[in-house]
Amino acid sequence: MASTSTFQFSILISLFLVSFFWIVEGNLPQSCKQNECPTYTVVEAGNGYEIRKYDSPVWISTPPIQNKSFVGATTNGFIRLFSYARGKNNQNKQIKLTAPVTSEVSFNGGKPSIVVSFFVPLANQNNPALANGLSVKRWKSKFVAVKQFGGFVTDSNVGRYVASLKASLGATKRSFTFGKSFIIAQYDPPFKLTDRVNEVWFLSQ
Ligand SMILES: *[C@@H]1O[C@H](CO)[C@@H](O)[C@H](O)[C@H]1NC(C)=O
């Protein structure tokens, strides 16, 4: 009897694990199958949002870029990070492209200021190459509220996705910094026209 119930229990556990991994797989952007992405655990899956715990990723970041255009600032930052990854850095080292590229938007006296970042591959995290104006940011393990969306991010649709995540988060007990800043994570290069994956992120307070 005892062994039968142990067996049933282990079946239940493995069904649980399978469905757990399905859920995570379902949300993993396609580009993370080809490129390295920061790893995380989903700690809460709600209606219209997901809360992830990131495992201390390392980023290389531009200085704050002042531009009224989200797309303008992101393109500007991305060009700098792309040339960094292509070897324009103090180690003359090519760095593998990763995903996502993030744009952190914050508001100083109403003016947007945008920091664009590139996830540093694990292999380079101990001793990341540096470059003029760029800085290394090491996150401690961090909670992030996330909403995924498709298509191209534009100056006219970005606010809608931010507002939508903000509205969904009424359902969680955790608190996030959406008053001061938000992050847009883009997983695909500009030439990919279909099945694009983007996310709005709010960081935990
Ligand atoms: C700001 O955005 C505009 C329009 O997209 C672009 O032409 C310009 O180079 C950008 N300037 C900076 C400093 O990012």
Side-chain angles (χ1 to χ4, degrees):
M1 253 349 235
S3 71
T4 316
S5 59
T6 309
F7 178 61
Q8 283 173 345
F9 182 66
S10 75
I11 288 189
L12 276 181
I13 292 274
S14 50
L15 281 178
F16 171 76
L17 286 179
V18 166
S19 58
F20 179 73
F21 285 118
W22 272 342
I23 292 168
V24 174
E25 270 285 298
N27 287 326
L28 190 73
Q30 187 66 29
S31 73
C32 296
K33 292 177 184 146
Q34 290 116 40
N35 303 304
E36 202 182 323
C37 292
T39 56
Y40 60 82
T41 320
V42 177
V43 297
E44 187 180 328
N47 186 6
Y49 72 93
E50 170 175 281
I51 295 175
R52 301 176 181 165
K53 183 167 188 267
Y54 273 88
D55 308 320
S56 16
V58 178
W59 308 90
I60 186 98
S61 302
T62 67
I65 299 169
Q66 262 79 40
N67 202 324
K68 272 182 284 184
S69 164
F70 170 86
V71 174
T74 299
T75 306
N76 173 334
F78 180 74
I79 288 168
R80 294 195 218 177
L81 296 170
F82 188 74
S83 94
Y84 164 88
R86 279 282 167 260
K88 235 184 129 203
N89 56 58
N90 69 346
Q91 299 176 2
N92 296 321
K93 197 177 196 171
Q94 294 231 358
I95 293 148
K96 267 201 237 149
L97 289 180
T98 58
V101 167
T102 64
S103 306
E104 179 162 18
V105 183
S106 42
F107 299 93
N108 305 316
K111 279 198 188 148
S113 160
I114 302 182
V115 173
V116 186
S117 304
F118 163 81
F119 172 61
V120 177
L122 267 184
N124 304 89
Q125 287 185 3
N126 272 340
N127 180 27
L130 298 173
N132 227 357
L134 302 185
S135 60
V136 175
K137 295 208 159 75
R138 294 176 187 275
W139 277 15
K140 297 206 185 82
S141 131
K142 200 174 270 206
F143 291 99
V144 183
V146 178
K147 181 183 206 81
Q148 231 169 50
F149 60 98
F152 281 91
V153 186
T154 66
D155 289 343
S156 54
N157 70 15
V158 64
R160 198 189 323 145
Y161 297 115
V162 172
S164 157
L165 176 56
K166 192 172 173 176
S168 307
L169 283 180
T172 184
K173 291 194 178 69
R174 297 169 204 267
S175 51
F176 294 90
T177 58
F178 44 73
K180 285 173 261 167
S181 66
F182 62 85
I183 292 176
I184 300 293
Q186 300 188 68
Y187 287 84
D188 298 298
F191 53 80
K192 186 163 188 272
L193 301 181
T194 56
D195 301 324
R196 300 179 57 80
V197 177
N198 319 291
E199 294 171 343
V200 188
W201 293 1
F202 296 151
L203 305 183
S204 58
Q205 268 171 341

